[in-house]
Amino acid sequence: MKQMKPHQVEGFNFLLSNLVSDNPGGCILAHAPGSGKTFMIISFMQSFLAKYPQAKPLVVLPRGILATWKKEFRRWQVEDIPLYDFYTVKADSRTQQLEVLNKWANCRSILFLGYKQFSSIVCDNETSKAAVACQEILLTYPSILILDEGHTPRNEETDVLNSLKKVQTPRKVVLSGTLYQNHVKEVFNIFDLVRPKFLKMDTSRAIIRRILSRVPFMRKHVRAKGLDNVFYESVELTLQKDENFKRKVTVIQDLREMTGKVLHFYKGDFLDELPGLVDFTVFLNLSSTQKRDVEQLKLLNRKFKISSDGSALYVHPQLRYHLKNNGSREREGIDDAKMDKILENLDVKEGVKAKFFLNLLGLCESGGEKLLVFSPYLQPLKFLERLAVKVKGWSPGKEIFVITGDSTSENREWSMDHFNTSPDARVFFGSIKACGEGISLVGASRIIILDVHLNPSVTRQAIGRAFRPGQVRKVYTYRLVAAESPEEEDHATCFRKESIAKMWFEWNEYCGQNEFEMETVDVRDCGDNFLGSSKLSEDVKALFKR
């Protein structure tokens, strides 16, 4: 029988205090990836149903992790509670969906829906009886609303957030391992979801005024921008750039006073029991061909275009040439035969990230370790996958495993299980969004983050796939950055965002002023035999450690 860890007991009691009272209200559990949020909330939901047998729990989550949730529920449930969803029974029409909703509404059970599925029903303009009935049930029947990866509904301009706000229950619970994503405003959008008009409350208003009094040069903008917007900007500015450390600390304390009754944060200290995490940022010198092409890349106007083209270029210039010359259709998917054609006369040394990957893969093979490779772009992953097939003679499904956004739930589960347990498995390629949440890849102990993702929490989630309970080795992460390219600026932006989350949620009185800075490391004395080897270190321009 599994026992709760101290932080889970604390989180359970926090849920009780907010949700099981005379005046219940929503709350946020911001516990580190891999810290057991799912087990804790499953335990709580069963207790909740025991106390309120007529309750109707609704769980909204990214569709890709539905199978994992149901598997965990069946593993830990005390009694046999029916679990309903639309996908298992292929309920695509509103009439079919209404049948499922009626079953949930009329018996003691739990309903699971994906975020897009939920918002499409609630925001549907269809006026048929079935469509209207579906909307009414979803908005009025839930007794408790659980939002896994609850940072998903953070943009006030999206249907997802606005539809979830309409659910009438006051019991809304957000689960997130990475609450801060891009902006302070997004965090307070989530507070507003679980506690409507959170910033309008008297207690919040008093603290907002107090924070603005500490940052007086921002107050003059209130009339033009509005109090809330100036508050968001003041917090970001103070936590990111303020050189007055004492002021920074008092603003952090103000924020925690404002949010403490609604937010329960857990950094993940129990992960210290694992063998360890070494998190490197590796600046790589580009080849002469790549350096020349980077100058052309800088002339592009669109940020996304620079990022997507750059991702291909930094892996290998031949990949970018092919994508550039073959139109947008092939950006979505080059088949194996065409990718193999690109690789026919390839000089790997021309592509610094491809070279790093191949050398690390060889070291992993020799050392009996498995490798994860994450990127937001599919073509660089496909390129490296086929490169491994060509150079190593390996096969997908045996030594090589892949998960993208197109992978079915069944394929995700199969790939994850086989990669973790098969002695033949060597390398796993994952779309960073498709693999960043809800799966365990503890079979791997080396991770390549192929690109700089401008949302640092996405990268943290990806690393948390391997650095989590069940891991028996020290995990080494290599965040690759192309030196003297637009990626350097992206990396600086990303680190500034990361520092806000760390200051807000993780700072304590024992932290120094430079606690959350990156440490510069000599590659010859980095403590990693792989990275210190001549094969990997020869292209390293600079090395940092978080």
Side-chain angles (χ1 to χ4, degrees), residues 99-118:
E99 286 182 27
V100 176
L101 291 176
N102 280 329
K103 287 179 183 177
W104 168 66
N106 291 316
C107 75
R108 192 162 174 266
S109 58
I110 298 170
L111 176 66
F112 294 86
L113 288 180
Y115 280 107
K116 288 183 180 177
Q117 187 82 72
F118 178 88

Side-chain angles (χ1 to χ4, degrees), residues 60 75 127 141 188 242 267 320 323-324 418 428 431 510 520 533 540 543:
V60 183
R75 182 182 179 191
T127 56
Y141 275 58
F188 283 101
D242 199 334
K267 178 184 174 182
R320 190 198 175 211
L323 295 177
K324 188 177 177 182
H418 280 70
F428 188 107
S431 157
Y510 303 109
T520 304
S533 68
V540 175
L543 183 65

Side-chain angles (χ1 to χ4, degrees), residues 383-454:
F383 181 92
L384 296 179
E385 176 199 338
R386 299 311 298 174
L387 184 62
V389 170
K390 178 188 176 185
V391 174
K392 297 292 185 181
W394 292 343
S395 303
K398 186 181 180 185
E399 293 92 357
I400 299 171
F401 296 85
V402 181
I403 290 182
T404 68
D406 294 329
S407 302
T408 63
S409 296
E410 293 78 13
N411 179 257
R412 284 168 62 96
E413 290 287 317
W414 184 90
S415 297
M416 179 176 69
D417 290 343
H418 280 70
F419 177 76
N420 285 333
T421 59
S422 171
D424 295 323
R426 297 294 179 204
V427 59
F428 188 107
F429 298 97
S431 157
I432 201 165
K433 285 295 286 181
C435 292
E437 299 168 342
I439 64 174
S440 173
L441 295 168
V442 292
S445 51
R446 304 275 170 170
I447 306 169
I448 289 178
I449 305 295
L450 204 56
D451 311 275
V452 177
H453 199 293
L454 283 175

Side-chain angles (χ1 to χ4, degrees), residues 115-335:
Y115 280 107
K116 288 183 180 177
Q117 187 82 72
F118 178 88
S119 63
S120 69
I121 294 172
V122 172
C123 298
D124 194 352
N125 292 322
E126 192 182 328
T127 56
S128 68
K129 286 184 178 180
V132 172
C134 285
Q135 289 178 350
E136 183 181 353
I137 290 173
L138 286 178
L139 295 180
T140 62
Y141 275 58
S143 314
I144 181 170
L145 175 64
I146 308 292
L147 304 174
D148 194 19
E149 305 300 344
H151 47 265
T152 304
R154 61 185 184 272
N155 187 332
E156 74 275 15
E157 296 178 3
T158 62
D159 287 344
V160 174
L161 179 57
N162 290 317
S163 60
L164 290 166
K165 280 185 173 183
K166 294 177 183 177
V167 180
Q168 292 180 15
T169 179
R171 297 184 176 100
K172 295 175 182 174
V173 181
V174 160
L175 307 176
S176 176
T178 48
L179 184 64
Y180 185 92
Q181 297 279 307
N182 285 299
H183 302 289
V184 168
K185 182 178 183 179
E186 294 174 343
V187 177
F188 283 101
N189 285 341
I190 297 170
F191 274 97
D192 195 54
L193 170 60
V194 298
R195 291 288 179 107
K197 299 183 179 178
F198 179 78
L199 289 183
K200 306 293 185 193
M201 295 163 55
D202 291 343
T203 51
S204 297
R205 268 311 191 239
I207 295 173
I208 289 173
R209 287 193 291 270
R210 191 194 309 163
I211 289 174
L212 291 183
S213 72
R214 302 191 197 284
V215 194
F217 55 88
M218 290 296 294
R219 295 181 68 183
K220 62 185 178 183
H221 300 295
V222 169
R223 181 168 293 182
K225 295 183 177 181
L227 183 66
D228 290 352
N229 288 325
V230 172
F231 164 66
Y232 304 140
E233 289 181 23
S234 299
V235 170
E236 284 194 16
L237 192 67
T238 304
L239 298 189
Q240 258 187 7
K241 299 178 180 178
D242 199 334
E243 294 181 2
N244 184 330
F245 192 69
K246 186 175 181 181
R247 178 163 55 204
K248 190 177 288 193
V249 168
T250 54
V251 168
I252 291 167
Q253 291 167 337
D254 291 337
L255 287 171
R256 292 180 184 175
E257 180 185 341
M258 179 195 289
T259 60
K261 291 182 180 178
V262 182
L263 169 68
H264 189 272
F265 177 79
Y266 176 63
K267 178 184 174 182
D269 293 331
F270 89 100
L271 295 171
D272 293 341
E273 299 168 11
L274 298 179
L277 172 67
V278 183
D279 191 352
F280 290 119
T281 297
V282 187
F283 281 67
L284 294 171
N285 286 314
L286 298 174
S287 69
S288 56
T289 306
Q290 288 175 308
K291 286 179 180 176
R292 184 192 67 216
D293 290 356
V294 160
E295 295 310 310
Q296 299 173 6
L297 192 71
K298 291 175 180 176
L299 300 176
L300 298 175
N301 294 322
R302 290 177 16 239
K303 183 73 176 172
F304 177 79
K305 181 77 168 163
I306 292 173
S307 179
S308 60
D309 278 28
S311 176
L313 171 60
Y314 310 141
V315 168
H316 201 284
Q318 286 297 329
L319 177 60
R320 190 198 175 211
Y321 297 160
H322 183 86
L323 295 177
K324 188 177 177 182
N325 295 329
N326 287 275
S328 58
R329 183 173 295 180
E330 290 210 348
R331 291 177 179 276
E332 300 301 317
I334 301 177
D335 61 32

Side-chain angles (χ1 to χ4, degrees), residues 1-5 8 36 39-40 43 72 75-76 469:
M1 185 174 181
K2 184 169 179 176
Q3 295 290 318
M4 278 194 182
K5 294 183 179 291
Q8 291 172 316
F39 170 67
M40 178 176 55
S43 303
E72 288 291 297
R75 182 182 179 191
W76 301 116

Side-chain angles (χ1 to χ4, degrees), residues 474-494:
K474 183 179 282 189
V475 174
Y476 290 87
T477 296
Y478 309 95
R479 306 178 188 227
L480 304 187
V481 180
E484 298 177 43
S485 79
E487 269 200 328
E488 283 201 352
E489 184 182 338
D490 290 345
H491 175 262
T493 301
C494 181

